[in-house]
Amino acid sequence: MAELKYISGFGNECASEDPRCPGALPEGQNNPQVCPYNLYAEQLSGSAFTCPRSTNKRSWLYRILPSVSHKPFESFDQGHVTHNWDEVDPDPNQLRWKPFEIPKVSQKKVDFVSGLHTLCGAGDMKSNNGLAIHIFLCNTSMGNRCFYNSDGDFLIVPQKGKLLIYTEFGKMLVQPNEICVIQRGMRFSIDVFEETRGYILEVYGVHFELPDLGPIGANGLANPRDFLIPIAWYEDRQVPGGYTVINKYQGKLFAAKQDVSPFNVVAWHGNYTPYKYNLENFMVINSVAFDHADPSIFTVLTAKSVRPGVAVADFVIFPPRWGVADKTFRPPYYHRNCMSEFMGLIKGHYEAKQGGFLPGGASLHSSMTPHGPDADCFEKASKAKLAPERIADGTMAFMFESSLSMAVTKWGLKTSNCLDENYYKCWEPLKSHFTPNSKNPAGPN
């Protein structure tokens, strides 16, 4: 596969032309009477026209045919995609899933869209407020099919298998330990090369942005220059009556037929684009004295709510780093949170749960549901010598954290057959160490 090229920078105002058509971007205006190369001008708006300049998102696309050139949309097989958060009764328990099973290509061909499974979510896409978490399990490329989401943005986290993603803006190769964001309304198609699995965080009505750094200062966490945007690439391909455009609209799937590839954009400019990011580039901030800093220091991207400091969803990672805190229980502490915490594992072994929480699996600790290290982790960490140590080498765990209280779907609780019914048992061996006659029992340090 030829090396793909990208533009660097998060949220930048960018411009790109396919090198086969130099000068395809109009000069000095957006929609001339006749565009260069006789292209059509089409604007894709990701925000209200009257948003403040700092939050206004739009791009101009110069294409061989406008995206309106399709037959009417009709209902399409819903599969396991849902927005019904009342399918089953609420469950406040700590939930953990074994690795979700990928269908074998020898048994059934499943592409990205037919392999979407909604696991949990909250809110309502009609009012542009909420989120959903999906698992994708596929083994086949999409071919003459593309997908776009009218409801929200997709943050895609591949866990097994790389994704070659065709978009209207160009091509991206996204591998495990990388992420990508396909923003609302952008058409894309995915090629896979093996049995493939991953996670998706979908947010309604808001877009992902970099978190404010506050006292951290100008640099750190995910740096803007490490985000990559595809360069323009067009496909002038006829598919008479045979290209399918699949749309998710108000939680339902619809499909329309058209005669040409939708990836016929010769040039584009704007600040509303798909993008990708390599998690290895995250600049970790950590405690160097004692106690824990909050896990918010590991936030890669945030989708803000209207309440200051409260997110619809944060994307947080737990990358390799040094642990040096003195007089401190170093693994994550026991915790009850007003937020919902969904965790996934891309690779390796998560420090607080060495067994049971596996790559391709997940856990959900709902609002105010207690959670923390298993019994074995607590005993070892309580007795460990507190020398500097590497944490999470060869591991990448992540969290989708939300201020919304998420409901789990029927597929998540029952149909998937991946729910670990014994998860609660990892805390059963915890025992009292209470010493009523000794305030300061001898510790290992």
Side-chain angles (χ1 to χ4, degrees):
M1 183 185 302
E3 183 180 358
L4 301 179
K5 295 182 179 180
Y6 302 92
I7 302 168
S8 169
F10 186 88
N12 287 354
E13 187 76 25
C14 299
S16 183
E17 298 173 341
D18 189 306
R20 290 172 287 177
C21 294
L25 284 171
E27 294 185 10
Q29 64 179 121
N30 292 321
N31 59 320
Q33 185 178 24
V34 179
C35 293
Y37 296 97
N38 287 306
L39 297 170
Y40 287 87
E42 178 178 289
Q43 183 175 230
L44 178 62
S45 297
S47 66
F49 297 145
T50 52
C51 275
R53 185 180 289 265
S54 61
T55 57
N56 208 300
K57 294 181 177 291
R58 62 88 182 91
S59 286
W60 281 92
L61 311 177
Y62 300 93
R63 55 197 317 152
I64 297 168
L65 275 175
S67 57
V68 73
S69 300
H70 62 78
K71 296 289 194 274
F73 281 100
E74 298 178 354
S75 293
F76 189 74
D77 182 9
Q78 197 73 14
H80 293 284
V81 175
T82 184
H83 64 293
N84 181 1
W85 310 130
D86 298 311
E87 286 183 320
V88 290
D89 289 336
D91 188 342
N93 286 298
Q94 302 93 348
L95 301 176
R96 182 168 71 187
W97 289 269
K98 302 170 186 176
F100 297 98
E101 186 175 349
I102 309 170
K104 301 290 184 184
V105 68
S106 58
Q107 297 172 336
K108 183 181 181 182
K109 290 185 176 181
V110 179
D111 70 9
F112 175 82
V113 174
S114 53
L116 284 173
H117 299 75
T118 308
L119 187 64
C120 55
D124 174 42
M125 65 283 298
K126 293 179 184 178
S127 59
N128 284 331
N129 180 47
L131 80 163
I133 294 172
H134 312 275
I135 306 296
F136 65 90
L137 308 164
C138 55
N139 56 37
T140 301
S141 299
M142 289 177 64
N144 289 330
R145 305 210 309 180
C146 74
F147 180 83
Y148 75 99
N149 187 359
S150 294
D151 296 331
D153 290 7
F154 268 2
L155 188 160
I156 300 174
V157 185
Q159 183 273 319
K160 182 182 185 298
K162 59 188 177 183
L163 311 176
L164 178 59
I165 305 179
Y166 299 81
T167 80
E168 294 171 277
F169 295 79
K171 296 182 286 187
M172 299 187 294
L173 183 65
V174 186
Q175 306 186 67
N177 224 41
E178 295 182 319
I179 63 165
C180 72
V181 173
I182 310 291
Q183 302 195 75
R184 185 179 181 184
M186 296 176 180
R187 298 182 177 190
F188 67 96
S189 182
I190 294 181
D191 282 358
V192 300
F193 307 91
E194 60 180 299
E195 293 168 359
T196 302
R197 174 172 57 205
Y199 312 83
I200 297 174
L201 172 59
E202 178 186 12
V203 294
Y204 313 141
V206 290
H207 298 296
F208 291 102
E209 53 189 280
L210 295 176
D212 297 325
L213 293 178
I216 293 173
N219 307 290
L221 307 187
N223 288 309
R225 73 186 184 102
D226 292 324
F227 288 81
L228 301 178
I229 300 162
I231 63 170
W233 172 86
Y234 74 88
E235 182 178 57
D236 186 8
R237 182 164 65 91
Q238 300 293 314
V239 192
Y243 203 102
T244 303
V245 178
I246 302 167
N247 176 216
K248 188 167 89 68
Y249 175 74
Q250 295 187 8
K252 300 289 186 180
L253 297 187
F254 299 86
K257 292 288 187 178
Q258 62 183 50
D259 296 333
V260 298
S261 166
F263 307 117
N264 60 3
V265 176
V266 178
W268 60 265
H269 77 85
N271 64 352
Y272 190 54
T273 67
Y275 54 88
K276 74 170 204 167
Y277 175 75
N278 189 329
L279 301 180
E280 291 182 3
N281 291 327
F282 189 80
M283 189 267 205
V284 178
I285 304 292
N286 206 359
S287 172
V288 295
F290 60 88
D291 282 352
H292 283 255
D294 293 324
S296 49
I297 60 170
F298 299 121
T299 301
V300 179
L301 292 168
T302 185
K304 295 179 179 178
S305 76
V306 295
R307 290 180 289 165
V310 180
V312 172
D314 287 328
F315 173 61
V316 178
I317 63 173
F318 301 100
R321 60 200 184 275
W322 281 96
V324 298
D326 291 326
K327 299 180 289 185
T328 298
F329 181 79
R330 288 182 177 173
Y333 45 81
Y334 295 99
H335 186 48
R336 290 180 292 164
N337 191 356
C338 62
M339 309 285 273
S340 301
E341 301 179 24
F342 174 93
M343 285 194 65
L345 187 60
I346 298 171
K347 61 180 180 177
H349 303 277
Y350 182 58
E351 59 179 311
K353 304 263 190 340
Q354 289 291 328
F357 183 53
L358 301 172
S363 67
L364 176 64
H365 300 133
S366 297
S367 176
M368 294 305 177
T369 293
H371 54 282
D374 61 26
D376 185 56
C377 176
F378 177 84
E379 294 297 332
K380 288 180 179 178
S382 298
K383 299 170 184 175
K385 180 177 175 59
L386 293 182
E389 63 176 333
R390 287 290 293 172
I391 298 171
D393 270 343
T395 291
M396 186 63 75
F398 69 87
M399 179 165 65
F400 299 152
E401 185 175 57
S402 175
S403 60
L404 304 181
S405 182
M406 291 189 281
V408 183
T409 63
K410 182 179 179 181
W411 181 84
L413 289 177
K414 299 176 182 178
T415 314
S416 70
N417 291 319
C418 291
L419 192 66
D420 183 354
E421 302 288 354
N422 296 317
Y423 182 29
Y424 71 96
K425 292 182 180 179
C426 75
W427 293 290
E428 283 191 333
L430 287 168
K431 58 186 179 182
S432 171
H433 295 281
F434 182 46
T435 54
N437 299 317
S438 175
K439 178 183 177 183
N440 297 306
N445 302 298

